Amino acid sequence: NRVLDNRFHGTMSSRICRQLADVPVIVVREGLPAGHRLRSHCEALLQRFVPQLDRTTRVDFTQRVQSNSSWNFDFVALISLASMIAAMGLLQNSAAVIIGAMLVAPLMTPIMGLGLALVQGNTMLARLALRTIALGVGTAFVLALTIGLCKGHFSITPEMIGRGWPGVLDLIVAFVSGLAAAYASSRPGLFAALPGVAIAASLVPPIATSGLAAARGELQLSYGAFLLFFTNMVAIVLAASFSLWAVGVRNNKGGVR
């Protein structure tokens, strides 16, 4: 009965078990909340059907995401170039140039970091990712606004109008993109799928549209385009959290389990 030690049953239970060594003892504890039981059942079901990440892969993934979610020179350079490419593509009404901007843009990584922080309960990573996202969005908006002001008079192109307001299909695409991005990012063998995810998840073009529209004085279009980016970001964060939880990333007091 010494197996029933203090850490599991408490001091009083252990004392009773030692004193009544030959007497059967039944220990009763308070039942787990329904939400906790449901979560445990869901985790057990996922472990049966979804390949789970081993601890080494989870630790490496967390360190990689945290490192790439930092606001540094590389991030500034990429977000600046992506914003300028997107702005010029929008002004030219060129879908090919806009796709190029999506491939260059680094915003997906800190957004993925925010999803990872949400599923882990990692407040430090959440603050790091939010800071990088905020500075990146601000940089992209200011650059697009500056390009619009330097350009002077220009027409609102169909590519800009197409990013003028969030729709249900936009949210669905963003959510599915978040699922795919988190799954592919967590598995080294699937990195080749990330460029396709970057194209599907529209992040920098709506910000550039917002900046160009603000320079043109089209405030309603500017607001709608920024709202499109924001809703896409929220959908990606939630989807990434679910995807990472499904492959075995769990909350363990802010760490990796």
Side-chain angles (χ1 to χ4, degrees):
N1 289 332
R2 290 185 178 276
V3 175
L4 306 178
D5 57 12
N6 294 348
R7 296 181 62 185
F8 186 76
H9 297 296
T11 304
M12 184 59 68
S13 298
S14 300
R15 191 176 304 167
I16 293 174
C17 290
R18 286 196 298 269
Q19 292 176 355
L20 304 176
D22 299 327
V23 178
V25 177
I26 299 175
V27 179
V28 180
R29 68 176 183 181
E30 184 180 358
L32 295 174
H36 189 280
R37 294 199 301 270
L38 178 61
R39 178 176 178 177
S40 298
H41 290 320
C42 290
E43 289 180 358
L45 186 65
L46 285 170
Q47 289 174 2
R48 289 181 56 189
F49 296 102
V50 180
Q52 302 291 289
L53 301 177
D54 57 66
R55 177 174 176 77
T56 301
T57 304
R58 293 197 301 269
V59 171
D60 291 343
F61 171 70
T62 300
Q63 292 175 345
R64 185 173 69 252
V65 170
Q66 184 164 339
S67 175
N68 293 334
S69 296
S70 301
W71 176 258
N72 51 33
F73 180 82
D74 292 338
F75 189 94
V76 174
L78 289 177
I79 193 66
S80 300
L81 293 171
S83 303
M84 291 187 287
I85 294 171
M88 290 184 286
L90 290 166
L91 290 173
Q92 296 173 3
N93 198 40
S94 174
V97 176
I98 296 171
I99 290 174
M102 295 177 186
L103 292 172
V104 174
L107 272 176
M108 180 61 80
T109 304
I111 291 176
M112 196 67 53
L114 188 57
L116 177 62
L118 183 62
V119 76
Q120 284 186 341
N122 190 336
T123 55
M124 183 184 71
L125 178 57
R127 287 195 296 267
L128 177 68
L130 282 172
R131 175 178 177 270
T132 302
I133 292 170
L135 293 173
V137 171
T139 299
F141 180 86
V142 169
L143 283 173
L145 177 66
T146 303
I147 291 173
L149 292 174
C150 293
K151 176 69 174 177
H153 180 74
F154 59 89
S155 301
I156 301 297
T157 63
E159 289 289 346
M160 295 173 64
I161 295 174
R163 293 169 173 82
W165 194 259
V168 176
L169 289 179
D170 295 315
L171 290 176
I172 294 174
V173 170
F175 189 85
V176 175
S177 299
L179 292 175
Y183 189 82
S185 297
S186 63
R187 300 185 184 278
L190 299 179
F191 284 168
L194 291 177
V197 175
I199 294 173
S202 184
L203 294 172
V204 170
I207 304 172
T209 299
S210 181
L212 291 173
R216 182 76 162 71
E218 299 284 348
L219 299 184
Q220 184 174 359
L221 177 60
S222 178
Y223 169 75
F226 190 85
L227 186 62
L228 173 61
F229 161 77
F230 181 77
T231 54
N232 283 355
M233 183 189 74
V234 172
I236 292 171
V237 168
L238 295 178
S241 296
F242 176 77
S243 182
L244 293 173
W245 176 74
V247 298
V249 180
R250 303 283 192 265
N251 183 349
N252 185 28
K253 296 182 180 179
V256 180
R257 190 177 75 188

